[in-house]
Amino acid sequence: MRMKILLFLVATILATCHGSSDHGVSFNVFPLRMKTGSGGHYIPDVSCASWTLGVEAHNIINWKTIPEECEGYVGNYMIGQQYRSDSKTVCKQAYFYARSLNLPRDGKNIWVFDIDETSLSNLPYYAEHGFGLELYNDTAFNLWVDRAAAPVLPESLKLYNKLLSLGIKIAFLTGRPLSQKDNTAKNLKLAGFYTWEKLILKEPSTYSGKTAVTYKSAERKKLEEEGYRIIGNIGDQWSDILGTTTGNRTFKLPDPMYYIS
Ligand SMILES: *[C@@H]1O[C@H](CO)[C@@H](O)[C@H](O)[C@H]1NC(C)=O
Ligand SMILES: *[C@@H]1O[C@H](CO)[C@@H](O)[C@H](O)[C@H]1NC(C)=O
């Protein structure tokens, strides 16, 4: 019954829009999906989709947790097909770009990969912590990282392998602390990332109190000073791809679960 009323409403609006276009009014776009149901009740999915779009586009920044009403939405997105599909789109474009380059074969071309939610997935952890609804808990997250049990992000692994076959080297650049280097290397190998030119973790004393943007910019600058050309850079956080010496092109993977500045 509700559906019928909704369809009738949409049809009416369509008819109205069509009618008004006769008078040159073309800005009257009908809503594809209404914010409230026919009974006037709120459909939370609509605003959660807007919220995640705002997050991905970096219009919504510095947030600590996802909105309470979006736990189901974000969880379904992460566990369902859409996350995989969105990631695939990003990685494909990255590959098309890399393939189009005519690079000198001097071993100095490097691609920067972030680790968490870029190479490895912490979804098993976040699924137990409300998909970002719970405030970040350093202790609990580090226990998870130390298990070196994070699964691979398959689309990223495909990109990684294709870049290697193009003769491009890989630099992993992560905000994980240096103390997690062994477990991180172990986890990367278990996930299928068998080789890399650099595995850069955060030296806590050097970067204490600094943002990820500052830390990652400084480490990328070091790469360039060593003679590498950063031709691409991929991450799930805007802080992976903002700042300086970002690389010739940057690629943003989806991550509606947390924000790192
Ligand atoms: C953070 O995680 C640790 C380890 O699981 C737990 O003992 C602690 O209570 C948690 N802290 C908060 C504020 O939830
Ligand atoms: C990358 O950017 C630098 C600096 O703008 C430019 O000189 C170089 O040709 C670019 N390389 C590629 C592969 O686009």
Side-chain angles (χ1 to χ4, degrees):
M1 189 59 200
R2 261 186 197 156
M3 199 59 202
K4 274 190 188 155
I5 294 172
L6 188 68
L7 283 174
F8 173 74
L9 276 173
V10 171
T12 311
I13 294 163
L14 255 176
T16 313
C17 292
H18 183 74
S20 54
S21 68
D22 292 344
H23 305 285
V25 183
S26 55
F27 54 81
N28 206 356
V29 179
F30 74 92
L32 290 172
R33 184 159 175 185
M34 283 187 263
K35 198 167 174 120
T36 52
S38 52
H41 68 281
Y42 184 64
I43 302 175
D45 274 11
V46 175
S47 70
C48 290
S50 302
W51 184 81
T52 55
L53 179 63
V55 162
E56 296 307 344
H58 212 218
N59 292 321
I60 301 173
I61 65 170
N62 293 332
W63 48 280
K64 299 264 184 289
T65 59
I66 66 169
E68 213 175 314
E69 67 272 24
C70 295
E71 181 182 359
Y73 179 87
V74 171
N76 280 317
Y77 171 81
M78 293 302 297
I79 286 171
Q81 290 300 307
Q82 198 61 44
Y83 175 51
R84 177 80 183 257
S85 167
D86 290 349
S87 304
K88 183 174 186 165
T89 303
V90 177
C91 291
K92 250 183 161 173
Q93 293 303 316
Y95 171 59
F96 292 160
Y97 157 69
R99 196 182 56 181
S100 76
L101 301 173
N102 190 11
L103 298 171
R105 291 246 167 188
D106 58 0
K108 288 295 182 186
N109 304 302
I110 208 160
W111 194 290
V112 175
F113 275 75
D114 167 55
I115 293 183
D116 293 301
E117 266 56 61
T118 299
S119 308
L120 300 176
S121 171
N122 298 302
L123 196 49
Y125 173 86
Y126 280 98
E128 287 184 357
H129 293 85
F131 299 102
L133 184 61
E134 283 177 27
L135 211 53
Y136 175 71
N137 179 335
D138 207 38
T139 314
F141 187 72
N142 286 335
L143 284 171
W144 155 254
V145 166
D146 287 339
R147 286 173 51 197
V152 68
L153 282 166
E155 302 302 334
S156 301
L157 181 62
K158 271 189 221 165
L159 173 64
Y160 161 95
N161 281 321
K162 284 176 171 166
L163 294 174
L164 285 177
S165 72
L166 289 171
I168 297 166
K169 297 199 162 148
I170 306 295
F172 287 109
L173 174 54
T174 175
R176 289 183 176 194
L178 205 50
S179 57
Q180 288 174 334
K181 188 162 188 172
D182 290 349
N183 284 331
T184 299
K186 180 178 161 195
N187 201 157
L188 284 171
K189 287 189 173 159
L190 283 170
F193 300 96
Y194 300 123
T195 182
W196 49 80
E197 184 77 355
K198 300 273 177 184
L199 172 54
I200 305 163
L201 292 93
K202 194 167 167 180
E203 167 63 67
S205 53
T206 313
Y207 293 109
S208 128
K210 303 261 168 57
T211 62
V213 174
T214 304
Y215 155 62
K216 293 202 165 184
S217 295
E219 291 299 324
R220 285 191 306 261
K221 185 155 183 267
K222 283 191 202 164
L223 286 175
E224 293 207 337
E225 283 166 357
E226 286 174 42
Y228 293 106
R229 286 182 298 270
I230 305 172
I231 56 158
N233 177 6
I234 188 165
D236 66 298
Q237 296 292 319
W238 277 86
S239 53
D240 296 328
I241 55 177
L242 289 176
T244 52
T245 48
T246 55
N248 282 66
R249 266 198 76 177
T250 60
F251 294 88
K252 168 72 175 72
L253 285 165
D255 185 355
M257 299 189 300
Y258 57 88
Y259 181 89
I260 298 170
S261 61

